[in-house]
Amino acid sequence: MSSIHKRPDGVWRARYRDEARKEHSRHFARKADAQRWLDEVTTAVVTGTYVDPKTARTTVRDWCETWMRGYELKRPSTVRQGRVHVRRIVLALGDRPLSAVRPSEVREWMMALKSEGLADSTIYALHARLGHIFADAVHDGLVPRSPVSRRTSPGAAKQRPYVATTEQVWALYDAMPEPMRPAILLGAFAGLRVAEIVALRTSDVDFMRGVIKPAVQYPNAELKTEMSRTPIPIPLELAVELNRNPVQWGSPTIVVGVIGRPIAPYTLEEAFRRARATVEGLPEGFRIHDLRHYFASLLISKGLDVKVVQTRLRHSSAKTTLDTYTHLWPDKEESARAAVADVLAARADFLRTSARSAQ
């Protein structure tokens, strides 16, 4: 419902009620301007882009505070990362009304982050977080549309992971403190992540059947996805090696410290860094997590297809596997060429045989 009335002082008062029956009004010197404003409001309501004028003044900082309160329900490690991202976003755009942020400002912020020397992956993550925040603001009716899109994206980092050689993997194994050596085996031959490695319990491994069943990550938290809980088959030789610590120390976890007790990721990573420094050819930034790349390369080199590799790495989709490891699969160009050549050769043989028969 809307209307325009002329006040005694000659000013035109335009007013309307929104879907919540709340009245909004503005005053204009000319009736045409009042009508134009009402037409714009009506169009916004019909197209679903209407936003309460007071709500539209909500700042990025105010909305981020509200958004984080809802985000607190997620896993502690996820919440910590969210806080880090939100802190950056508020620092750059906090005082701006949500409705005033433009795509050009988002692109400008991306360039500023790049000039600070942040890694491409970090910039991409911040852009994704801002997009998530604005998408929720749209869903909540605070803004009609988001200024974050593929056009403002800095693009994901496209960097091929370093794949250790088998010799480097065993050199790392030998350089690690003996109670922590199973960590190398779990990373390179089962593809476990750091938080999964230190939390892997003896009860999570079926030593007789040769199966690892990841169930928790440090510090005894559930794994993020159902795919992460996919059982991992291992050879019995690896099962025997993994059982050495529980037999020697009676430990509840597979990986232990020098006194036979469970350890935190930080302790393992510190020992790994010292071991890495003794291995020739490993880049300085090589991490325990990068042993997963060796595991992937090992599977691919044995001719396993992308779905099998995806399952063993417990990726959420085959796309993730292909995006990371496409370059490791054997070049199919020669195979494709050979397939066509076989058909042509068979045709030529047929024609020659037919010609001889005709003679």
Side-chain angles (χ1 to χ4, degrees), residues 101-351:
V101 178
R102 298 288 179 261
S104 58
E105 291 178 86
V106 177
R107 287 194 294 269
E108 185 178 351
W109 183 44
M110 294 296 103
M111 294 300 297
L113 293 173
K114 183 73 173 178
S115 65
E116 288 180 32
L118 268 64
D120 289 344
S121 57
T122 301
I123 299 174
Y124 182 78
L126 285 167
H127 182 272
R129 182 74 65 184
L130 184 65
H132 189 182
I133 289 171
F134 264 99
D136 285 348
V138 173
H139 187 261
D140 226 41
L142 299 180
V143 289
R145 63 184 62 86
S146 171
V148 184
S149 68
R150 292 179 62 182
R151 289 189 173 187
T152 63
S153 174
K158 299 292 185 182
Q159 185 176 2
R160 289 185 176 182
Y162 179 84
V163 179
T165 66
T166 299
E167 291 74 16
Q168 288 172 329
V169 169
W170 287 121
L172 282 169
Y173 177 86
D174 292 336
M176 289 287 286
E178 187 173 348
M180 299 184 194
R181 286 178 179 172
I184 305 300
L185 303 179
L186 290 169
F189 302 125
L192 267 64
R193 303 169 178 92
V194 178
E196 297 168 343
I197 289 173
V198 296
L200 187 68
R201 303 162 300 194
T202 55
S203 58
D204 298 328
V205 182
D206 187 331
F207 295 101
M208 295 297 293
R209 294 176 56 227
V211 180
I212 294 174
K213 300 177 180 178
V216 295
Q217 63 180 346
Y218 185 86
N220 201 32
E222 289 187 2
L223 298 178
K224 289 184 178 181
T225 66
E226 186 65 31
M227 192 64 183
S228 294
R229 290 186 280 273
T230 302
I232 305 167
I234 59 173
L236 294 180
E237 293 86 349
L238 179 55
V240 170
E241 290 299 321
L242 296 178
N243 198 32
R244 293 186 186 279
N245 273 350
V247 170
Q248 179 178 352
W249 300 99
S251 58
T253 57
I254 300 297
V255 177
V256 297
V258 292
I259 58 174
R261 294 179 180 176
I263 57 175
Y266 175 80
T267 304
L268 179 61
E269 288 167 345
E270 278 293 299
F272 183 84
R273 278 191 285 269
R274 289 192 294 270
R276 182 189 63 206
T278 68
V279 179
E280 184 177 355
L282 281 181
E284 185 176 347
F286 190 82
R287 308 158 300 166
I288 297 175
H289 186 87
D290 294 327
L291 291 172
R292 280 169 57 83
H293 304 321
Y294 173 84
F295 181 53
S297 71
L298 184 62
L299 300 180
I300 293 169
S301 69
K302 297 303 180 182
L304 301 183
D305 63 41
V306 63
K307 289 300 294 182
V308 175
V309 177
Q310 173 206 343
T311 302
R312 293 288 76 82
L313 290 172
R314 296 166 295 135
H315 283 155
S316 58
S317 71
K319 182 180 183 301
T320 301
T321 308
L322 285 172
D323 286 348
T324 309
Y325 300 115
T326 293
H327 64 288
L328 293 181
W329 262 277
D331 188 356
K332 300 300 183 183
E333 183 176 295
E334 288 304 321
S335 299
R337 183 179 289 123
V340 175
D342 288 345
V343 173
L344 296 175
R347 172 65 175 173
D349 288 342
F350 171 77
L351 293 175

